[in-house]
Amino acid sequence: MTVRIRFFARFRELLGTDIVVDAPKNKGLSDLVKDVAGKNQEGYDAIFDEKGAFREYVILMQNGKRVETSDAPAIRVAEGDEIAVFPPVAGG
Amino acid sequence: MSTVKIPCVSSRAGTLVFPIIPVKQMLSRRERERYKRQMMLFGDEGQERLKKANIFIAGAGGLGSPVSIYLAVAGVGTLTVVDKDVVEQTNLNRQILHCDRDIGRKKVVSAEEKLHAINPDITVKVIDTTIDESNCAQLVGRADGIVDAMDNYPTRYLLNDIALEKKIPLFHGAIRGFYGQATTIIPGKTACLRCIFPSAPPKEVFPVIGVTPGFIGMIQVNEVLRYLLGTGELLANRLLIWDGMTAHAEEIAVVRNPACISCGTGHISKDTTAVKAKKITTGKKK
């Protein structure tokens, strides 16, 4: 099944813009993002901590709805899902 | 205060009469000329609304510069600008209120001078201080809205809490590099800043090109003006995300978090918040 992952801001610089993934059925949301982010160590480290958990400031959305990153390992992605991953920017 | 005669039809006699109705003549001839082209959009009433408004601008840096300049030229009657920093050379690629000769001067002094020169018909109040938990409520005072032109989340959270407490809108903006974000927080109606961003990103010396705070600052000003004018559709429960690398703006729907520690059931007492906030500083705008 096809799932689209969209990174924003700093994550986009490290990992690319829109990434279309051919994911197996019942793939976990957390694992999906890890697979894609794993292609660039710096990008992976920006999103995940050393234990493989989402960093606390990461914003994760599934089809426009906010997902708590702590729930992400248990959430399954579905055909046509759009996942957005972004960090809040802080400058002013 | 002066009075004008407004013709109307008396319901009793059915005849045209001229009751004396007090109408505050707020706009001078000079102001009418200055704002002529925008009053074509929203008339006397709209311009008077702007003139009566008091907007609190937290920060006179990358965002605070374009925000204050455009609020000034639009004729927002009172601007309160707060910043503690001194102008540095590294500020000048984006902080357009300040110029080379201002290096070493207080940002608020430079801001007051420029804003007064740009529009002498408005009142500019500047406060040279660091916004912290002990003074934030007093600094904001009876403002009609807060513009978030800060460079750090601890102070943003503080402004968010004060906006909620005073029930005034918070116009959020933030930038990094070519990227930016903006949203408008209406207490009691929309997600607050903590609903959207419960955790702050790590502190850093962020890269930035001047056009990015320029762009996001204009979004914020556009929000403030339309809020004051009561027109259009605000960025309420919508987070606008700007990608300057692809010249692409998009928005993400955001919702209130019922358990939010600022506006939801997770709200904690002021005393506890104070302990949590500790002494929050605006930090340097590098």
Side-chain angles (χ1 to χ4, degrees), chain B residues 225-236:
Chain B
L225 296 178
R226 289 182 305 102
Y227 170 78
L228 295 174
L229 294 166
T231 185
E233 187 184 341
L234 296 173
L235 265 176

Side-chain angles (χ1 to χ4, degrees), chain A residues 1-39:
Chain A
M1 63 182 180
T2 303
V3 178
R4 181 184 295 267
I5 299 187
R6 304 175 68 207
F7 294 106
F8 292 88
R10 176 85 176 130
F11 299 165
R12 181 172 290 182
E13 288 173 356
L14 296 167
L15 296 163
T17 307
D18 283 358
I19 298 168
V20 178
V21 184
D22 186 17
K25 269 191 172 180
N26 289 323
K27 182 78 171 177
L29 175 52
S30 192
D31 287 341
L32 183 77
V33 178
K34 273 183 191 172
D35 287 352
V36 176
K39 290 167 186 167

Side-chain angles (χ1 to χ4, degrees), chain A residues 6 12 61 66 89-92, chain B residues 153 156 175 196 243 250 252:
Chain A
R6 304 175 68 207
R12 181 172 290 182
M61 306 193 86
R66 178 77 173 274
V89 291
Chain B
Y153 273 80
R156 285 191 168 101
I175 51 102
I196 306 169
D243 178 350
E250 52 195 302
I252 291 175

